[in-house]
Amino acid sequence: MGQLDNLFKKNSEWAENIKGENPEFFSKLSKQQNPEYLWIGCADSRVPANQLISLPPGEVFVHRNIANVVVHTDLNCLSVIQYAVDVLKVKHIVVCGHYGCGGVKASMGNTQHGLIDNWLRHIKDVARFNAEELEGLSECEKFDRLCELNVKEQVMNVCGTSIVQNAWASGQELSVNGVIYDLKDGVLKDLDISVTGQS
């Protein structure tokens, strides 16, 4: 028995269920993708983009990494943004963080974790930029607030990319939005940060 047999079995069941509901689904899906959304989220297995916004395959272009970080040296993330904006012409970029994020939690301590410490440095910077706001909060409140502040910082990082700036300069319809997901109840919260043009 192969080590991935369970995955192949689950995939077969899923594909059969989809075809049972809509026999033309995969033949239409294979001909094009035309999503309106680019979702930049955390790699956490509990935060699956399509499922938590209840959209089928083909509706959301997705990039995920530890703690939904967007930095200008990450060619992987920038390539996804460029493809989404320049080729797919998405109308909305959504940066989604989540409460209880392990990356954010790890950034709050002084324990060394290896290579990932270099990545977590970006979140430590968010905490440093917002030290006054975080001061005086309980550890739990600080953790939740840092998850939110991290999303806001990454929204601004997306807005600052030459890709998004050029799209806005050419008049392309594009918004960049920040949301956060609550693992405890499955609900997305709007962080009231939405940028629709050059700032």
Side-chain angles (χ1 to χ4, degrees):
M1 179 153 115
Q3 295 192 22
L4 300 181
D5 283 352
N6 188 49
L7 296 184
F8 290 118
K9 179 177 181 280
K10 292 284 190 188
N11 169 256
S12 179
E13 291 168 358
W14 172 77
E16 288 306 314
N17 286 338
I18 296 284
K19 287 185 271 189
E21 294 171 12
N22 181 355
E24 302 298 315
F25 180 83
F26 290 109
S27 62
K28 288 181 181 175
L29 185 66
S30 66
K31 293 184 172 103
Q32 70 171 7
Q33 68 168 330
N34 192 27
E36 288 194 13
Y37 304 95
L38 165 60
W39 180 276
I40 299 174
C42 184
D44 191 302
S45 63
R46 300 167 295 176
V47 191
N50 285 71
Q51 285 176 291
L52 67 91
I53 52 178
S54 194
L55 288 177
E59 298 294 321
V60 187
F61 198 61
V62 178
H63 176 77
R64 294 169 69 180
N65 62 44
I66 301 298
N68 44 272
V69 170
V70 177
V71 291
H72 299 163
T73 54
D74 181 358
L75 297 181
N76 184 344
C77 184
L78 294 178
S79 297
V80 169
I81 294 171
Q82 182 171 21
Y83 189 81
V85 172
D86 293 348
V87 178
L88 297 176
K89 304 291 186 191
V90 297
K91 293 188 172 122
H92 311 282
I93 298 175
V94 178
V95 177
C96 179
H98 67 98
Y99 296 117
C101 179
V104 172
K105 183 70 170 173
S107 77
M108 293 172 68
N110 294 317
T111 304
Q112 289 194 359
H113 303 282
L115 177 65
I116 195 172
D117 292 330
N118 298 287
W119 189 255
L120 298 178
R121 179 77 248 167
H122 300 293
I123 306 166
K124 285 182 178 284
D125 288 343
V126 174
R128 185 169 47 85
F129 300 152
N130 296 279
E132 193 173 303
E133 182 176 341
L134 295 170
E135 189 177 346
L137 297 179
S138 72
E139 197 65 18
C140 186
E141 291 170 331
K142 184 177 178 182
F143 184 20
D144 285 350
R145 186 63 183 138
L146 187 53
C147 289
E148 294 171 347
L149 291 169
N150 183 51
V151 170
K152 291 185 176 191
E153 181 71 18
Q154 306 320 318
V155 166
M156 299 319 296
N157 287 346
V158 171
C159 292
T161 64
S162 58
I163 303 152
V164 171
Q165 289 291 315
N166 290 339
W168 283 334
S170 70
Q172 185 172 335
E173 180 187 349
L174 181 65
S175 69
V176 183
N177 310 273
V179 301
I180 194 158
Y181 178 67
D182 196 333
L183 295 169
K184 294 175 185 171
D185 62 14
V187 175
L188 277 178
K189 174 184 171 186
D190 188 349
L191 290 176
D192 294 322
I193 178 166
S194 182
V195 186
T196 55
Q198 293 176 332
S199 49

